[in-house]
Amino acid sequence: MARIVIPSLTPHYVSSTPRSISISWPFDKSGHCVSSLLSAVKYHLHTAVLFTWTDYKTIFLPITAFACATGPVHSISNLVQCWIWMWLHLLLCNVSNQARSREEDAVNRPWRPLPAGRITESQAVGLRWAIVALCICWSLLYDQDLVLTTLGLVATTFLYDELGVASHIVGKNFCNIGGYTSFEVGATRVISATPSMDFVSITAVILSGLLIFTTIQAQDFPDVDGDKALGRMTFPIYAPEFSRTFTLLATVAWSIFLSWYWAIGPITTAFFVGLGTYVGSRYYLLRTLDVDKRSYLIFNIWLMLAHILPLHARTSLLAL
């Protein structure tokens, strides 16, 4: 499998609020065209970051943890290549999703590129298909199987955004499974020494898909107002009380099952089960918008830890 050697790392944003990117560009005073070009690059780079901003904690970091644990990570170069592959595909998904959800974002996230007026809907649709072509070509640098992973993600986003599957509770969850597992398979293949996936990797992807299917409603609680404005029927809207009870039961049950399945140590088990119980209890007991946003952040910490557990099958590092 071909590899691209990348000698340096790119810094990532870690705060929860998007900020403008400040970059100093050296150029000749007479180079007005150069200045305009670099200003345009800066503007569009900032727009791209805004498209992907909310999913660094929900997809980028958990999938990185998953790939490092199940791959496992082969080298710094492979890790950087994994980040580039994930970010391009994350941009693909977010541009596709946000191109049709200006009304929802105007309520929940008015700083996103469309409601903020940084890009028009027609431009976003055109950009979406350009990124599809870019992602296919990028995956082709590795092998044809990785291209199939990209195409699977494209099909999932098309079902989700263009065919309205996102408006149905079960259909939305199935699309979330397709999206997460596509990211997991692609990231694991890029980050590891070989393109093939062994029993541990395949099992981890299957369990992750089931985990996402039963807990992904955690992301919908803070977005109820926006989803209602867009006419979406999410689990928290359809069953406000039962969805919170189910989330509590699911996070506790998954914490216990995953600790048992990956045979982690008693101290690690106690911590992981305790965190899962805390997350589920927050969703059940604390129900304001601001608290739901905080609960979702803690949920993603729990999800990232769940994605790290397969590392124990390879290294026994979680035997405590």
Side-chain angles (χ1 to χ4, degrees), residues 163-209:
L163 299 185
V165 176
S167 299
H168 302 278
I169 300 173
V170 177
K172 180 179 181 180
N173 279 17
F174 273 114
C175 284
N176 281 320
I177 289 178
Y180 269 90
T181 55
S182 294
F183 273 103
E184 289 167 349
V185 170
T188 301
R189 289 169 60 86
V190 173
I191 209 170
S192 62
T194 62
S196 59
M197 297 179 65
D198 61 10
F199 178 78
V200 171
S201 299
I202 294 172
T203 304
V205 169
I206 293 173
L207 291 177
S208 176

Side-chain angles (χ1 to χ4, degrees), residues 15-308:
S15 67
S16 60
T17 305
R19 302 188 300 270
S20 298
I21 302 171
S22 178
I23 304 175
S24 298
W25 301 97
F27 54 84
D28 188 82
K29 293 182 179 180
S30 62
H32 177 72
C33 292
V34 174
S35 175
S36 299
L37 176 62
L38 294 178
S39 296
V41 170
K42 175 184 174 181
Y43 179 88
H44 293 307
L45 178 61
H46 185 203
T47 300
V49 170
L50 291 178
F51 268 120
T52 58
W53 187 261
T54 55
D55 282 331
Y56 285 105
K57 65 179 182 297
T58 61
I59 294 180
F60 195 88
L61 291 178
I63 299 300
T64 296
F66 178 89
C68 288
T70 61
V73 61
H74 178 62
S75 66
I76 294 297
S77 175
N78 285 31
L79 176 61
V80 176
Q81 291 178 62
C82 173
W83 282 340
I84 294 173
W85 188 93
M86 281 197 299
W87 189 82
L88 289 175
H89 287 72
L90 189 61
L91 184 62
L92 183 158
C93 294
N94 284 332
V95 172
S96 174
N97 178 256
Q98 295 173 38
R100 305 298 190 187
S101 60
R102 178 192 292 268
E103 295 84 358
E104 176 189 1
D105 287 337
V107 176
N108 293 328
R109 300 175 183 89
W111 47 264
R112 279 182 167 175
L114 270 83
R118 298 182 67 90
I119 189 172
T120 67
E121 182 174 322
S122 60
Q123 289 173 334
V125 172
L127 176 62
R128 176 261 184 96
W129 292 111
I131 298 173
V132 167
L134 174 61
C135 287
I136 292 174
C137 292
W138 197 269
S139 293
L140 193 60
L141 294 174
Y142 294 90
D143 57 41
Q144 293 180 350
D145 288 342
L146 198 58
V147 174
L148 294 178
T149 303
T150 296
L151 293 177
L153 187 61
V154 171
T156 299
T157 58
F158 187 81
L159 289 171
Y160 190 91
D161 298 319
E162 304 296 334
L163 299 185
V165 176
S167 299
H168 302 278
I169 300 173
V170 177
K172 180 179 181 180
N173 279 17
F174 273 114
C175 284
N176 281 320
I177 289 178
Y180 269 90
T181 55
S182 294
F183 273 103
E184 289 167 349
V185 170
T188 301
R189 289 169 60 86
V190 173
I191 209 170
S192 62
T194 62
S196 59
M197 297 179 65
D198 61 10
F199 178 78
V200 171
S201 299
I202 294 172
T203 304
V205 169
I206 293 173
L207 291 177
S208 176
L210 295 173
L211 171 64
I212 293 300
F213 183 78
T214 53
T215 63
I216 196 59
Q217 68 274 3
Q219 72 178 358
D220 295 325
F221 289 106
D223 293 338
V224 166
D225 291 338
D227 287 330
K228 285 182 177 178
L230 203 61
R232 288 177 176 166
M233 182 57 69
T234 62
F235 195 9
I237 295 174
Y238 179 77
E241 183 66 29
F242 179 66
S243 61
R244 291 185 180 272
T245 302
F246 185 84
T247 301
L248 169 60
L249 296 175
T251 53
V252 174
W254 273 112
S255 297
I256 296 172
F257 173 77
L258 291 176
S259 298
W260 167 80
Y261 183 84
W262 295 114
I264 60 178
I267 296 177
T268 311
T269 295
F271 175 79
F272 184 61
V273 173
L275 181 59
T277 303
Y278 174 66
V279 170
S281 299
R282 284 183 62 93
Y283 277 109
Y284 183 74
L285 298 173
L286 309 174
R287 307 189 177 192
T288 65
L289 176 61
D290 289 339
V291 171
D292 280 339
K293 290 180 178 179
R294 180 70 175 176
S295 296
Y296 186 45
L297 177 62
I298 302 172
F299 168 83
N300 280 286
I301 296 174
W302 173 80
L303 182 63
M304 185 163 61
L305 293 178
H307 281 157
I308 293 175

